[in-house]
């Protein structure tokens, strides 16, 4: 879909390289500028987030390599960087440095706190941005410690995906107007923005500040249950027709305790009864009981077990890559699932990238 569009990514951590991977999955020519030396211990040299990209190693403290980096940016439609505010400007690689030489450039900036504000220059991680934005507040049942899946809600959901959306919007705008734009994608902004669907429930009384008392985080039909094998079952039969089907499969459709689905006073007793019930059998027993129904019940699977689930397997959602799994590119276009790109060695494409820049007269 993005064939022929070159995007330059300056090596970073977390959401910025994920955004670059997603754009590469979508067909863009993503050239990642790696730093000299070995990568940090968090990811390692065989970096899944580099799949489908081309790699060049540049030392931005070197005048010669900095000139090459400048030429690369001038050859591109968009740029991705995830450094602290001001770092790219000090390298003469900031947005203003390309206003005249590449006026259509879409400049994608990925940070936790944003380019401005009291915390803009301070460190933080996924949980910190979620905690500050309010997105972590409903992330547990009452009495439990708020927790969300590592990296997914903040780094990826509130960060990388907003950066991708901003870059795509910027590219469209540049096509129409001939002018580039600076995309300020902050995890704290995006994670708050993602709460819009949840916050839309507040005017009708279906969302309150107290955890465990709202429509989506309090009822017995919207939570996880531990089973006899220590595995978990997800239940989220919000709508009455799904709720009644859920109850009928376990013989509770005529139980007076469960007739009034939205009666908050009954929720604690309902939760206790269902907790005891589901603890009598392994999660696979309950998953099999509900398979093929609209009761909205599913076993909580690890990625390894998910990879062999019939539905996931048929769609090819997870792919094997040597000794580890990787997700297939998403979304799909015209019903076709794309194959993941190969993971380049650091600097593997240096010669061909430099040759392209020379041919274009940029170096």
């Amino acid at each position: 879909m993005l064939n022929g569009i070159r995007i330059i990514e300056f090596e970073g951590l977390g959401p910025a390289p994920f955004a670059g991977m997603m754009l590469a999955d979508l067909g863009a020519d993503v050239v990642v500028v790696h730093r000299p030396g070995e990568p940090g211990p968090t990811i390692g040299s065989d970096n899944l987030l580099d799949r489908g990209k081309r790699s060049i190693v540049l030392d931005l403290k070197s005048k010669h390599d900095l000139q090459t980096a400048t030429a690369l940016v001038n050859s591109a439609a968009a740029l991705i960087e995830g450094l602290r505010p001001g770092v790219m400007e000090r390298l003469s690689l900031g947005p203003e440095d390309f206003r005249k030489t590449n006026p259509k450039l879409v400049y994608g900036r990925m940070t936790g706190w944003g380019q401005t504000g009291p915390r803009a220059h301070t460190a933080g991680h996924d949980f910190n941005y979620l905690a500050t934005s309010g997105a972590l507040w409903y992330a547990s049942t009452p009495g439990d410690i708020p927790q969300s899946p590592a990296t997914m809600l903040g780094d990826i959901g509130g960060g990388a995906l907003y950066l991708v959306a901003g870059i795509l919007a910027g590219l469209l705008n540049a096509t129409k107007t001939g002018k580039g734009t600076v995309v300020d994608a902050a995890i704290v902004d995006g994670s708050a923005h993602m709460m819009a669907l949840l916050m839309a429930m507040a005017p009708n009384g279906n969302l309150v500040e107290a955890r465990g008392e709202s429509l989506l985080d309090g009822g017995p039909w919207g939570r996880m249950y531990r089973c006899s094998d220590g595995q978990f079952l997800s239940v989220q039969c919000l709508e009455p027709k799904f709720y009644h089907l859920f109850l009928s499969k376990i013989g509770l459709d005529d139980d007076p305790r469960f007739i009034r689905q939205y009666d908050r006073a009954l929720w604690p007793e309902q939760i206790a009864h269902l907790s005891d019930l589901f603890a009598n059998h392994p999660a696979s027993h309950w998953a099999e009981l509900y398979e093929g129904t609209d009761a909205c019940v599913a076993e909580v699977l690890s990625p390894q077990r998910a990879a062999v689930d019939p539905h996931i397997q048929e769609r090819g959602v997870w792919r094997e890559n040597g000794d580890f799994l990787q997700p297939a590119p998403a979304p799909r276009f015209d019903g076709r699932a794309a194959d993941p790109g190969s993971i380049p060695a650091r600097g593997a494409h240096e010669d061909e990238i430099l040759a392209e820049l020379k041919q274009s007269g940029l170096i």
Side-chain angles (χ1 to χ4, degrees), residues 7-332:
I7 298 171
I8 307 303
E9 173 196 328
F10 287 85
E11 182 180 13
L13 295 175
F18 182 97
M21 181 200 75
M22 187 170 181
L23 291 163
D25 286 347
L26 293 172
D29 173 24
V30 179
V31 176
V32 56
V33 177
H34 281 125
R35 303 185 187 95
E38 293 299 315
T42 306
I43 298 292
S45 58
D46 200 20
N47 187 357
L48 170 61
L49 299 183
D50 282 341
R51 76 179 187 193
K53 304 175 185 177
R54 296 193 292 163
S55 169
I56 184 171
V57 174
L58 296 177
D59 181 358
L60 299 181
K61 296 179 181 178
S62 158
K63 183 177 180 180
H64 177 269
D65 283 5
L66 187 58
Q67 290 174 341
T68 301
T70 300
L72 272 173
V73 177
N74 279 322
S75 76
L79 174 153
I80 291 173
E81 62 96 357
L83 305 174
R84 293 199 195 193
V87 172
M88 293 294 277
E89 281 79 0
R90 289 195 291 274
L91 291 168
S92 297
L93 294 172
E96 293 301 322
D97 296 298
F98 298 97
R99 289 291 186 193
K100 293 183 179 180
T101 58
N102 191 357
K104 294 176 67 175
L105 180 69
V106 177
Y107 201 104
R109 319 199 78 162
M110 182 75 261
T111 61
W113 300 112
Q115 295 297 312
T116 60
R119 296 191 180 94
H121 293 273
T122 61
H125 277 300
D126 191 280
F127 290 165
N128 310 131
Y129 312 130
L130 295 178
T132 302
S133 72
L136 200 60
W137 181 254
Y138 296 103
S140 73
T141 53
D144 292 331
I145 297 174
Q147 186 80 18
S148 72
T151 77
M152 291 182 62
L153 180 56
D155 287 344
I156 306 308
L161 297 185
Y162 278 82
L163 179 58
V164 169
I167 287 174
L168 295 178
L171 290 171
L172 287 173
N173 183 66
T175 300
K176 291 190 303 180
T177 67
K179 296 181 180 180
T181 189
V182 178
V183 181
D184 178 1
I187 298 172
V188 70
D189 297 349
S191 58
H193 187 264
M194 286 196 300
M195 294 185 71
L197 175 60
L198 186 63
M199 299 305 291
M201 298 181 177
N204 293 329
N206 289 323
L207 180 70
V208 297
E209 184 175 1
R211 288 163 53 210
E213 297 183 16
S214 298
L215 183 66
L216 294 183
D217 77 336
W221 29 264
R223 60 192 301 114
M224 308 293 165
Y225 291 94
R226 186 187 296 272
C227 301
S228 65
D229 56 352
Q231 300 299 313
F232 292 89
L233 197 70
S234 68
V235 175
Q236 198 163 35
C237 43
L238 172 63
E239 296 83 356
K241 61 180 179 180
F242 300 150
Y243 176 69
H244 293 314
L245 180 58
F246 163 73
L247 293 177
S248 69
K249 296 294 289 186
I250 49 178
L252 294 175
D253 46 332
D254 293 326
D255 191 311
R257 292 171 297 181
F258 288 87
I259 291 176
R260 298 195 300 277
Q261 179 181 359
Y262 301 118
D263 187 341
R264 286 171 167 76
L266 297 176
W267 286 356
E269 183 182 6
Q270 293 171 348
I271 290 169
H273 183 77
L274 290 173
S275 297
D276 291 340
L277 179 64
F278 288 127
N280 288 327
H281 296 285
S284 58
H285 167 84
W286 301 112
E288 183 177 348
L289 177 68
Y290 284 106
E291 181 65 33
T293 74
D294 286 338
C296 304
V297 176
E299 184 178 1
V300 179
L301 302 176
S302 67
Q304 289 73 20
R305 292 181 63 204
V308 296
D309 174 85
H311 180 85
I312 301 298
Q313 196 168 45
E314 181 176 321
R315 288 183 60 82
V317 174
W318 285 102
R319 311 286 182 87
E320 289 189 9
N321 186 357
D323 296 330
F324 62 89
L325 291 172
Q326 64 172 315
R332 303 179 185 205

